[in-house]
Amino acid sequence: MTIQQQQLDRRFAARPAHFDGFVRARGTALVDGGGRELLLRGVGLGNWMLPEGYMWGFGPGAESPREIEALVSRLIGEDAAASFWTTFRKGFIAEADIERIAASGFDHVRLPINSRLIQTDAGEPIDAGLRLIDRLIEWCRIHRLWVLLDLHGAPGGQTGTNIDDSPNNKPELFMEPRHRANTLRLWRTLAERYADETVVLGYDLLNEPLPNEWQHRYAVELVDLYRELTAEIRAVDPNHLIVYEGTHWATNWDIFTEVWDDNSALQFHKYWSSPDTASIARFLEVRDRLQLPIYMGEGGENTLEWLYTAFRLYETHGIGWNFWPWKKIDTRTSPASIDAPGGWERVVASASGTPGLSREEAQLVFAQLLENMRIENCRWRHDIIAALLGDEPPVMPAWGFGFRGLGESHDVAAAGGRTLPGIREEDQVPLRFASGAGMPNPFEQTSGREYRTDETVVVDLEPGDWLEYELFSARIAAARALGPDGEELPVRVERSLRGLRVTATAPVTLAKIVMVDDEAP
């Protein structure tokens, strides 16, 4: 049996969805149809119904769905492109993906929807696109996953960036009445179609509306639209959870001053920032003030260390989450990595200039891509799953100790002394960069590579100091505490209430804890 097969055979604690009723808000918690409290753990199906250029390795010239579609047509011809997209939508997310997601320990998927696939410019439903959603729901019923419907690309565009497929790089949803009318009609169509479907977790009305300068210009219009969408949905569907996102990449929650619907939740996204309580404090405050559940609906694209720590942060504060995304080309930051086919670099180069390969060559490259993207042909990155779920993660950074405070997650004699600005300052544990002044933001990376020395944050410990790292499971005997140069440290590693505890037996500088293979020579 290969290592990959052994990893796939491992079983996490089952967290299957229950379809005996609707997921609902109850105070600041979410509960399933049986009244059982939920802590959601899911993955986002990015790139399937709304392609994003960075997931293909594309840069300027092929970043939005429209641009990607134009590039494919230019390279392989209109007829071949139509056939490509039909096959792409059959295979990029297939039942085998859903089966793998469920087997990995998740309980839901978030489905990013491009309005162009399910609605014409005149506002009429497109059956073929809606059937894609129907098919996904049936797969998820079989494999016991909920489906959160996410309008990622609204008519006209809600962000004015490439991620929403806006035709003119403006948030024209808020500029053109016809786009607003079509958005209302789109959600009415979905709510009517799925009103009685308990596999559907809820309705995520708009992905990351109004970033950057737009967050101030159209904030009032967004609130008005949220109210209208809520009324439109409730006219035909009294049961499903409604999810509202803040402005500016879902991080600005200034619009949330009152409760618009009793069965609703608020969503934030988190990327490339310090994973600590201070960074989500504004979301926790709104939760407590409005008494609504909150949800981290999109986050990822980072190192194993960051993923382990950030997702423990959410769970410590009772926040359900969704990891982004499930699958990309040649990635170290998603569970499924698609091997780029031979000649793909010439396709990427073609995005910004003259095609660097013939039509026949391009057709062969795209045909191979369709084969490579099938989940059974992807490189499986179990370490991502392990980091997200805290199930024997391969590496835990020194700064990834728990978030429960002094005496619960840490006890360090020098607490209250030196800290790093903007990185877990509230814990007052002595953090520093392993070398020099370090980086202004060491967490701002997307490749998943190992940290450089100037990005490595360490903790100085004196004898008797300890830090707790929260885990679902781990072989304590396999844990090794390492210093910044990779040296093994004089510490005691033992089980604790919520995972493992590292206690210094001499003055040490801790950089990370790694899990080693017991059977390695």
Side-chain angles (χ1 to χ4, degrees), residues 256-297:
F256 298 138
T257 60
E258 58 184 315
V259 176
W260 298 320
D261 188 271
D262 290 338
N263 189 24
S264 65
L266 307 179
Q267 180 177 161
F268 70 93
H269 296 174
K270 185 171 172 61
Y271 291 99
W272 313 310
S273 58
S274 180
D276 56 24
T277 301
S279 71
I280 63 170
R282 60 193 181 279
F283 310 131
L284 298 173
E285 185 277 327
V286 174
R287 174 177 71 177
D288 294 342
R289 174 164 45 85
L290 297 183
Q291 287 294 289
L292 289 175
I294 67 176
Y295 168 70
M296 198 298 294

Side-chain angles (χ1 to χ4, degrees), residues 27-193:
T28 61
L30 292 174
V31 298
D32 66 15
R36 296 170 286 255
E37 192 166 314
L38 300 174
L39 185 64
L40 293 172
R41 290 173 160 182
V43 294
L45 304 182
N47 205 50
W48 181 38
M49 294 185 73
L50 194 152
E52 293 192 43
Y54 84 95
M55 297 191 196
W56 303 63
F58 296 151
E63 294 178 306
S64 74
R66 295 171 195 269
E67 292 174 332
I68 296 169
E69 291 163 13
L71 173 65
V72 175
S73 294
R74 191 167 77 246
L75 291 177
I76 67 176
E78 296 286 345
D79 291 343
S83 177
F84 169 81
W85 288 114
T86 297
T87 306
F88 176 88
R89 296 203 170 97
K90 286 181 179 178
F92 187 84
I93 297 297
E95 184 176 2
D97 290 272
I98 300 307
E99 182 178 20
R100 182 77 63 88
I101 290 168
S104 295
F106 299 105
D107 57 26
H108 77 288
V109 294
R110 178 172 176 253
L111 174 62
I113 299 168
N114 189 343
S115 62
R116 283 200 293 128
L117 264 65
I118 64 171
Q119 186 185 65
T120 68
D121 288 341
E124 295 299 322
I126 299 174
D127 286 341
L130 291 168
R131 286 197 298 270
L132 287 175
I133 301 175
D134 293 344
R135 187 178 65 183
L136 175 71
I137 288 172
E138 289 310 310
W139 292 338
C140 288
R141 189 189 319 280
I142 293 168
H143 298 288
R144 298 184 67 184
L145 297 171
W146 284 292
V147 180
L148 178 63
L149 302 181
D150 153 38
L151 185 52
H152 222 74
Q158 75 278 7
T159 76
T161 69
N162 61 280
I163 67 167
D164 69 3
D165 201 28
S166 52
N168 299 303
N169 295 318
K170 295 178 181 179
E172 294 182 20
L173 169 59
F174 303 97
M175 300 174 177
E176 296 285 347
R178 64 188 177 90
H179 294 316
R180 186 186 187 100
N182 279 349
T183 301
L184 290 165
R185 190 170 180 181
L186 183 152
W187 272 117
R188 177 87 174 220
T189 296
L190 292 175
E192 287 177 336
R193 191 177 187 93

Side-chain angles (χ1 to χ4, degrees), residues 7-20:
Q7 291 170 340
L8 291 178
D9 283 345
R10 297 193 66 236
R11 291 293 181 264
F12 298 94
R15 301 175 63 92
H18 296 272
F19 306 135
D20 52 353

